[in-house]
Structure formats: C-alpha cells, structure tokens
Amino acid sequence: MYSYTRAESRERGRLFRKGFHQAIGDNLDPAVTRRMHEIDAKAAERGARELAALQSKTDADRQAVADAKAAVRTSKWGPDRAAARDVLRAAEKQLRRSERVLHRAEQS
C-alpha cells in the first residue's frame, strides 16, 4: 500500500512528465528516476504503518464484538438484555466499517 502526501503526488507527477519527455528524446536523467523511487519508498513505508494501524483497529473492534456478545449472553431478560443487544449491534457496525476500510487499503 502506498500513501502519498499531496506534495509527493504533485512532485511525482511532475517528475513523471519530465521523465516521459526525456525518454522521448532518449536522454533520461537518472536523478529523475532516483527521486521517484525515493518518493515511492517513503510512501510505501507510510502505507505499511497505516495498514498496521488499521489491522490493530480491526482487531480491537473484533474484541469489542466478542465482549458485547458475552454481555448479551450473560445479561438478564428485559431491559438489560435489550441494552446489551444495542451495544452489540453498534460494535458489529463499527467492525464492519473497520473491515471494509482495511479491505480497501489491502487492495490498493
């Protein structure tokens, strides 16, 4: 996963266009490709950190769902169980949201 800042995206685009024009003239400057690789390496490192953070958030949400299920199973009938079910629904909703974001991040 790559996570480019806006400035990196602009610079990378500018370098790509510059490299493209140089390649047409068959005179590619190695500094252009070196700088693009540096930007890509920084973006890959940032993306790996973000992916790890998303995975830990998803794991925490899974634990919250497990805790909420245990609370539902151990609660008394009536208002206690209804409140526990509401907490479980909210935890499951948050887990689905986290898993969706994590899946999108893994695909990119």
Side-chain angles (χ1 to χ4, degrees):
M1 177 176 150
Y2 291 94
S3 179
Y4 295 101
T5 63
R6 293 176 77 189
E8 287 174 343
S9 293
R10 282 191 307 269
E11 184 179 2
R12 192 172 187 287
R14 183 185 61 78
L15 290 169
F16 179 80
R17 287 186 297 277
K18 185 176 182 177
F20 179 76
H21 290 297
Q22 289 176 354
I24 288 174
D26 206 24
N27 187 21
L28 186 59
D29 184 12
V32 171
T33 56
R34 184 177 58 244
R35 180 64 185 138
M36 284 181 71
H37 289 304
E38 290 170 1
I39 291 171
D40 289 343
K42 280 201 283 188
E45 179 195 348
R46 190 178 307 113
R49 282 196 312 264
E50 290 176 9
L51 191 60
L54 286 171
Q55 287 171 340
S56 74
K57 172 73 171 124
T58 303
D59 290 341
D61 289 342
R62 284 187 182 121
Q63 185 59 45
V65 168
D67 293 341
K69 280 185 181 181
V72 167
R73 289 182 179 141
T74 59
S75 63
K76 289 184 169 185
W77 287 99
D80 291 339
R81 185 164 284 216
R85 268 185 281 175
D86 290 341
V87 170
L88 175 61
R89 284 189 202 108
E92 287 173 337
K93 187 176 181 180
Q94 176 61 37
L95 176 62
R96 281 191 300 274
R97 194 177 309 124
S98 300
E99 287 177 337
R100 197 174 321 124
V101 170
L102 178 63
H103 180 70
R104 272 192 230 128
E106 289 176 337
Q107 297 304 313
S108 65

